[in-house]
């Protein structure tokens, strides 16, 4: 056995080995309705929509674990719908129903496996109910009356499921209370509480009344009931509407369009809304009543517009109209030589066809006319004008010239227009002459392969000859990949493909190809251009830090990952721009090394390795330093804060040193401390004797800290090199924060402790895990909230306990901060509250005592109760007035027999006198 004696009052360091893998647990604050254990494994946190969710991940472990919150939901698509949160507290203000789900806290520090805990957040809400009405009328055979049945359906979105109740006026309607009324859930209902239907059979005069549907979640989370009223009369009817417009509506761009919708029937009066096939109404549209106005309409705003009327009676009424905005665009032509001869040229005596195409809206208004040399051309036996079937090639007209003659040479003009006018015509000129020849494509000499450097602008060029010159289409020839603009094909009118900021991924073969548009409708001509993109070497590491002590070797390696061209690589090593070594790269290796055999002071600095090819240089940078790594504060110190005088406190500061042997021996630490909110730092040096081992826990006591101030502490290691990396933490005066609440759901039981000088201990328990051998007729059957999974504390009074035995549960320490700096003259008031369960014929006593400065204030308890109080939980509250740091002690005393179990739950401590306390015991 090793004993380590450490004088914590000294300014020197005490060291203990200390590293630990992470542990984690989740605690909650915010506005929880209830937290319970579900099936012993899942913790469920219930919260009302719109409240604040606050979950804190408490971790232990050294080095300090990194914390990450993530959320998963039920569906795969929603698996990680929320961003990860990288701090201890997850805070969501005004939580939404969609933010319910399972939340995970993950802590890891590189030791062992990560620690993970989860909690399921259930968001409760209740929307206003909606009543919809449906009527059915059936004719009885051989009779002269109609039977009219009305169904009122009530639906409300909620969590948890809704309970519905129906009222007629002030009368509560239930199944069987009225022969003319039937209340049921339809058989197709999938979820509990989805809906409740009220059926009025063979409608009677008394059935014309006000019906109210009340939706309730039984005040869970304080959510009040919601209701809706529907007035059923003999005039109640589903809506009917009428559109006072034509269908379709054909307009020119820039016109203002007004759509008018009126209701012709419906009680209650229907509500009119407008919807569009374009997902949403245009931004500039104006809706006033049933009129929708579209000012200065554009082609993008064309589509189907629908007026919808709804009054929750029957099905909504819907009427639609289509708005068509006239347009002409994309005029193109192509020339087709005689299809009956295998020749791509135009020849005298053979047929030639000129085709002209535009995109027209509406297509039925499109009209074409042809001109030759500016004069109108009519269809004849030798000049045949036709229009292509719209299903084959919409918006296309053809001019067939039969038996081409010299006199047919000239300029032919195709003119496209719309019958309604108001849209500019499109004119397309096509020249037919002896110089009209099909295209050919070539790549200029020296333009393939084309070599460029990454980041440059390059132009891939294909020379196109022929008359007329067609549009050129560019695409990848070597693989199925998009072009630089993201499309699979790019158009060029001059045969040039221009690529800005070319990248290495663009290396490859590119195909240029003639299209039929604005040229000959013949087999496409094509050519291929090779593009080679050169780029400087990509190396690793780009930047790294090398920490080393004096007299030790240092090896730096720069590795080439990729380069083009990869041949003829050179390297050079520099220290602060001073050349150390240079040479040619070994083609059999992908790396170069530089070694310092024994590091001296002149060897500290920035080393650069440049690896060079024709396109440029890749750079590896090494920062060689003797700086020590940062210390790592230890956050799991047991009882780090102590108080020996009224106005000041002390704090046990502990840390380990990261990689202590990486550099020269640490000779001291520079400690800086400043009060939060002030600028001035106080500094001192803490000497270190001997070498620091990896994982050694070092301690220094901070004294004379003023209550209740917090302090920023900075710690910096010092070596022969000088100062190393600093680390900072906040030291907080941590009297237990108020208000305090403990429901004993967590194993550490909120830092309560068992008194060492009593006769036996309190036990943490839940009804769900209760032993089958428990004593009947005593003790609670659930925790204070009624949950069998919830935990509470109780005293077990079975043998070997005997009458008068005491069990004491001691609270954590609470600090009393004075309001004036010279001490406490008027002691502050606190309200101490808890729930108790004292059921059984042998119940003894339950006492609450106040403990100050480690001593009981008096033998008399501040609260006490004895004897059987019935099988139910009751609340106790008592005001206390401590004058110094204090603890509250709950003492259970065993009665005369085994039926005397006493339980406590939901302990609270708040500032101020108790308001409306229960009858004092």
């Amino acid at each position: 056995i090793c004993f380590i004696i450490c004088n914590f009052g000294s300014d020197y360091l005490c060291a203990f080995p200390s590293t630990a893998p992470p542990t984690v647990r989740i605690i909650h604050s915010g506005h929880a309705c209830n937290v319970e254990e579900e099936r012993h494994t899942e913790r469920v946190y219930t919260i009302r929509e719109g409240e604040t969710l606050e979950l804190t991940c408490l971790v232990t472990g050294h080095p300090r674990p990194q914390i990450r919150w993530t959320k998963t939901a039920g569906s795969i698509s929603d698996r990680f719908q929320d961003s990860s949160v990288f701090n201890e507290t997850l805070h969501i203000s005004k939580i939404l129903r969609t933010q319910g789900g399972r939340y995970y806290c993950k802590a890891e520090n590189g030791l062992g496996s990560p620690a993970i805990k989860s909690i399921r957040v259930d968001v409760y809400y209740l929307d206003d109910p909606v009543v919809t009405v449906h009527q059915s009328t059936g004719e009885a055979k051989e009779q002269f009356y109609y039977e009219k049945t009305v169904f009122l359906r009530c639906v409300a979105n909620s969590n948890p499921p809704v309970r519905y109740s129906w009222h007629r006026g002030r009368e509560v309607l239930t199944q069987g209370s009225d022969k003319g009324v039937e209340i049921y859930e339809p058989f197709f209902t999938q979820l509990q509480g989805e809906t409740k239907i009220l059926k009025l059979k063979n409608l009677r005069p008394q059935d014309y009344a006000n019906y109210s549907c009340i939706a309730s979640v039984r005040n869970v989370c304080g959510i009040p009931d919601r209701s809706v009223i529907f007035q059923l009369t003999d005039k109640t009817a589903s809506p009917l509407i009428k559109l006072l417009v034509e269908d379709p509506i054909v307009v020119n761009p820039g016109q203002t369009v007004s759509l008018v919708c009126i209701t012709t029937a419906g009680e209650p009066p229907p509500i009119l809304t407008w919807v569009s096939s374009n997902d949403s109404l245009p931004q500039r549209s104006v809706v006033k009543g049933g009129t929708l106005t579209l000012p200065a309409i554009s082609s993008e705003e064309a589509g189907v517009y629908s007026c919808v009327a709804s009054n929750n009676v029957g099905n909504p009424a819907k009427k639609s109209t289509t708005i068509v905005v006239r347009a002409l665009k994309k005029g193109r032509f192509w020339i087709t030589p005689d299809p009956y001869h295998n020749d791509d040229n135009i020849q005298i005596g053979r047929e030639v066809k000129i085709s002209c195409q535009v995109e027209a809206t509406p297509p039925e208004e499109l009209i074409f006319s042809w001109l030759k040399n500016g004069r109108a051309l009519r269809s004849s036996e030798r000049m045949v004008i036709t229009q292509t079937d719209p299903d084959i090639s919409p918006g296309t007209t053809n001019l067939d010239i039969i038996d081409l003659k010299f006199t047919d040479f000239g300029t032919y003009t195709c003119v496209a227009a719309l019958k309604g006018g108001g849209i500019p015509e499109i004119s397309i000129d096509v020249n037919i002459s002896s110089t009209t020849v099909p295209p050919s494509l070539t790549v200029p000499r020296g333009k393939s392969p084309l070599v460029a450097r990454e980041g440059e602008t390059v132009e891939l060029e294909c020379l196109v000859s022929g008359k007329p010159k067609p549009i050129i289409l560019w695409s990848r020839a070597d693989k199925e990949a998009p072009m630089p603009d993201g499309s699979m094909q790019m158009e060029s009118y001059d045969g040039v493909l221009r690529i800005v900021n070319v990248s290495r991924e663009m290396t490859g073969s590119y195909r240029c190809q003639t299209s039929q548009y604005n040229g000959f409708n013949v087999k496409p001509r094509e050519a291929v251009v090779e593009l080679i993109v050169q780029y400087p070497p990509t190396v690793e590491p780009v930047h790294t830090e090398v920490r080393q002590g004096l007299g030790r070797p240092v090896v730096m390696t720069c590795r080439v990952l990729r380069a083009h061209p990869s041949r003829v690589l050179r390297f050079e090593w520099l220290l602060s721009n001073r050349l150390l070594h240079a040479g040619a790269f070994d083609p059999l290796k992908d790396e170069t090394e530089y070694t310092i055999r024994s590091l001296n002071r002149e060897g500290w600095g920035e080393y650069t390795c440049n690896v060079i090819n024709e396109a440029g240089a890749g750079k590896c940078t090494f920062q060689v330093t003797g700086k020590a790594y940062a210390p790592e504060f230890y956050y799991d110190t047991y009882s780090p804060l102590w108080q020996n005088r009224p106005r000041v406190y002390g704090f046990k500061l502990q840390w380990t040193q990261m990689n202590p042997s990486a550099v020269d021996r640490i000779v001291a630490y520079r400690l800086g401390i400043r009060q939060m909110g002030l600028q001035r730092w106080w500094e001192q040096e803490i000497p270190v004797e001997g070498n620091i081992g990896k994982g050694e826990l070092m301690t220094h006591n901070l004294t004379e800290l003023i209550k209740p101030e917090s302090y920023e502490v900075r710690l910096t290691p010092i070596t022969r090199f000088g100062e190393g990396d600093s680390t900072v933490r906040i030291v907080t005066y941590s009297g237990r924060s108020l208000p305090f609440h403990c429901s004993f759901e967590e194993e550490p039981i909120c830092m309560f402790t068992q008194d060492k000088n009593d006769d036996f201990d309190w036990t943490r328990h839940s009804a769900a895990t209760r032993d089958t051998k428990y004593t009947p007729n005593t003790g609670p059957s659930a925790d204070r909230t009624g949950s069998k999974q919830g935990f509470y504390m109780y005293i077990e009074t079975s043998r070997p306990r005997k009458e008068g035995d005491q069990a004491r549960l001691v609270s954590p320490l609470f600090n009393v901060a004075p309001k004036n700096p010279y001490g406490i003259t008027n002691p502050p008031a606190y309200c101490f509250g808890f729930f108790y369960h004292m059921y059984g014929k042998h119940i003894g006593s339950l006492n609450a005592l106040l403990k100050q400065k480690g001593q009981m204030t008096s033998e008399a308890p501040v609260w006490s109760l004895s004897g059987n109080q019935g099988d139910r939980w009751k609340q106790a509250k008592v005001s206390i007035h401590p004058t110094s740091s204090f603890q509250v002690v709950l003492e259970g005393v065993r009665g005369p027999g085994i039926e005397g179990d006493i339980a406590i739950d939901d302990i609270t401590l708040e500032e101020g006198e108790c308001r409306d306390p229960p009858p004092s015991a």
Side-chain angles (χ1 to χ4, degrees), residues 460-625:
L460 279 61
E461 188 175 353
C462 279
L463 289 179
V464 57
S465 62
K467 186 178 180 182
K469 289 184 178 180
I471 296 172
I472 302 300
L473 305 177
W474 285 91
S475 60
R476 291 295 294 257
D478 53 346
K479 56 185 175 181
E480 193 75 18
M483 296 294 286
D485 68 348
S487 65
M488 297 305 293
Q489 207 171 55
M490 292 176 66
E491 291 186 352
S492 169
Y493 287 86
D494 60 359
V496 175
L497 173 64
R498 187 171 288 101
I499 303 176
V500 179
N501 193 22
V502 68
S503 65
R504 63 193 67 179
E505 294 80 13
M506 297 177 186
T507 295
S509 302
Y510 290 79
R511 178 189 298 111
C512 60
Q513 186 180 64
T514 60
S515 74
Q516 74 175 48
Y517 298 118
N518 298 0
F520 275 69
N521 183 20
V522 295
K523 181 180 179 181
R525 276 60 165 162
E526 63 180 49
V528 174
V529 178
E530 294 289 337
L531 174 62
I532 299 171
V533 181
Q534 294 183 344
Y535 51 90
T538 302
V539 296
E540 68 173 10
V542 174
H543 185 276
T544 190
E545 188 178 58
V546 179
R547 302 197 185 213
Q548 189 58 281
L550 294 173
R552 301 179 191 175
V554 178
V555 179
M556 292 166 280
T557 302
C558 185
R559 182 174 298 105
V560 178
L561 301 178
R562 65 191 74 87
H564 191 84
S566 58
R567 64 187 186 282
V568 198
L569 292 177
R570 297 182 296 109
F571 69 85
E572 56 185 23
W573 285 90
L574 303 97
L575 171 59
S576 302
N577 297 322
R578 177 168 58 88
L579 184 64
L580 302 173
H581 180 51
F585 217 84
D586 186 343
L588 301 178
K589 294 183 179 180
D590 61 355
E591 62 186 31
T592 175
E593 281 186 357
Y594 184 77
T595 302
I596 304 171
R597 298 186 183 279
S598 179
L599 183 65
N600 56 29
R601 292 181 180 274
E602 290 71 30
W604 284 324
E606 184 177 90
Y607 290 76
T608 303
C609 174
N610 293 322
V611 181
I612 307 162
N613 69 356
E614 297 173 22
K619 181 188 291 186
C620 292
T621 303
F622 302 85
Q623 187 70 42
V624 178
T625 178

Side-chain angles (χ1 to χ4, degrees), residues 35 48 342 633 920:
V35 180
R48 179 174 172 175
N342 189 18
F633 281 119
S920 58

Side-chain angles (χ1 to χ4, degrees), residues 781-822:
S781 58
D783 77 348
R784 197 277 300 178
T785 66
S787 168
K788 292 188 179 297
Q789 286 78 28
F791 284 84
Y792 52 86
M793 301 294 290
Y794 87 112
I795 58 170
E796 173 58 68
T797 56
S798 301
R799 294 180 181 85
R801 302 276 69 82
K802 58 184 183 295
E803 186 173 2
D805 281 359
Q806 299 173 340
R808 297 191 192 95
L809 192 65
V810 184
S811 77
L813 183 69
F814 298 96
N815 294 301
V816 177
K819 300 297 182 185
N820 71 67
Y822 302 103

Side-chain angles (χ1 to χ4, degrees), residues 45 47 53 55 95 99-103 119-123:
Y45 180 103
I47 187 170
L53 171 70
L55 302 174
I95 192 168
Q99 293 173 308
R102 182 180 295 280
Y103 287 82
I119 187 169
R120 183 163 64 84
V121 175
D122 204 1
V123 182

Side-chain angles (χ1 to χ4, degrees), residues 330-347:
K330 283 194 177 179
R332 290 178 166 179
F333 74 91
W334 59 92
I335 302 169
T336 306
D338 192 339
Y340 302 106
H341 294 80
N342 189 18
D343 194 341
D344 291 344
N345 290 296
I346 295 175
Q347 294 190 24

